[in-house]
Amino acid sequence: MDGDVVLCERDGPVALVTLNRPDKHNAVNRDMQAALAATIEALEADDDCLVIVLTGAGDKAFCAGADMGEVLERGALEPRPAGAPPPPPAPNGVGAVARAKKPVIGAINGYAYGLGAQLSLSVDIRIASENARWRFVGASYGLVVSGADLPRIVGPAVAKELLFTTRVVDADEALRIGLANRVVPAADLLPTSLEMARQIAANSPGAVRWAKRVVDAATTIEAGRAAEAEAGRALRGTSDNTTRFRAAAERVIGGGA
């Protein structure tokens, strides 16, 4: 496991996984994607680990989204030449969290924007600090992000509002609409999350995993995820997408809003 951009600590059957790029508001770069995927996969294979708690380092951000500077540096906004094969799939930490069979609690300790908001939807339970904020920014970049999963959590009408407007959702509103299970003072966030994890770990591991599988089967619509993937193929790399993302990235890198 990567001891730099992703940290992992153990408390008996509970694993605490921390996104560790506080100087970048825990923005996700390729190293973090790979390290998070490897960490989650290792914990999934560890029979002594029963519950995972996921949080961000520092007191400002759970995860501020993708590392825009890295995206620009590696030329990821350049369109793929016609007929060229797609690049091989890279390690996907967000996907590894979404696929986890063990329960995952998100301790949302600050900003969860863009890819960070999507990551927060991949966990099973979200406990938020009072300074937690969500923003589903895909439409501002010409993309659809989190459209498949947000409706099952907050309902279709609220999901459309948040996806269409890309506005900020504070902790109080997140609690009201069901995006957060609980809101607690920042100092209580990890103790509350770890205590809940211990309560879960005290129950039958098999029953808990089956409960997760049953609830997910009852609420996850695969057609929605297929449609979101289709939207990504249609929108990603278009002039609208690349122009909007580049402008946003330059604002962020330049210290703007």
Side-chain angles (χ1 to χ4, degrees), residues 144-168:
V144 178
V145 182
S146 302
D149 291 317
L150 189 57
R152 67 186 173 87
I153 296 170
V154 301
V158 174
K160 287 176 182 177
E161 178 187 341
L162 300 184
L163 294 170
F164 294 175
T165 65
T166 73
R167 67 176 178 81
V168 175

Side-chain angles (χ1 to χ4, degrees), residues 23-200:
D23 58 320
K24 297 289 187 180
H25 302 301
N26 301 318
V28 178
N29 61 5
R30 287 181 293 179
D31 288 344
M32 181 178 281
Q33 284 276 25
L36 181 59
T39 299
I40 297 298
E41 289 163 5
L43 293 172
E44 283 278 277
D46 183 351
D47 291 339
D48 293 328
C49 174
L50 301 181
V51 185
I52 300 167
V53 175
L54 177 64
T55 194
D59 57 4
K60 292 184 178 180
F62 170 71
C63 174
D67 186 328
M68 291 180 158
E70 185 191 63
V71 173
L72 292 181
E73 287 173 7
R74 72 172 192 261
L77 294 181
E78 299 303 321
R80 193 168 67 247
N92 186 340
V94 177
V97 173
R99 293 189 300 272
K101 294 180 174 62
K102 296 178 180 180
V104 183
I105 297 171
I108 313 301
N109 57 306
Y111 297 116
Y113 283 9
L115 187 62
Q118 185 178 23
L119 176 59
S120 79
L121 299 187
S122 300
V123 307
D124 300 298
I125 297 167
R126 282 162 292 280
I127 301 176
S129 70
E130 293 172 327
N131 64 335
R133 300 288 185 273
W134 281 262
R135 189 176 176 218
F136 300 90
V137 299
S140 67
Y141 302 157
L143 296 172
V144 178
V145 182
S146 302
D149 291 317
L150 189 57
R152 67 186 173 87
I153 296 170
V154 301
V158 174
K160 287 176 182 177
E161 178 187 341
L162 300 184
L163 294 170
F164 294 175
T165 65
T166 73
R167 67 176 178 81
V168 175
V169 179
D170 65 21
D172 289 340
E173 182 180 6
L175 181 64
R176 178 173 57 80
I177 65 177
L179 185 54
N181 293 72
R182 298 185 190 179
V183 174
V184 299
D188 296 337
L189 180 63
L190 277 183
T192 300
S193 301
L194 292 170
E195 177 57 28
M196 181 181 287
R198 295 184 196 102
Q199 290 175 347
I200 295 170

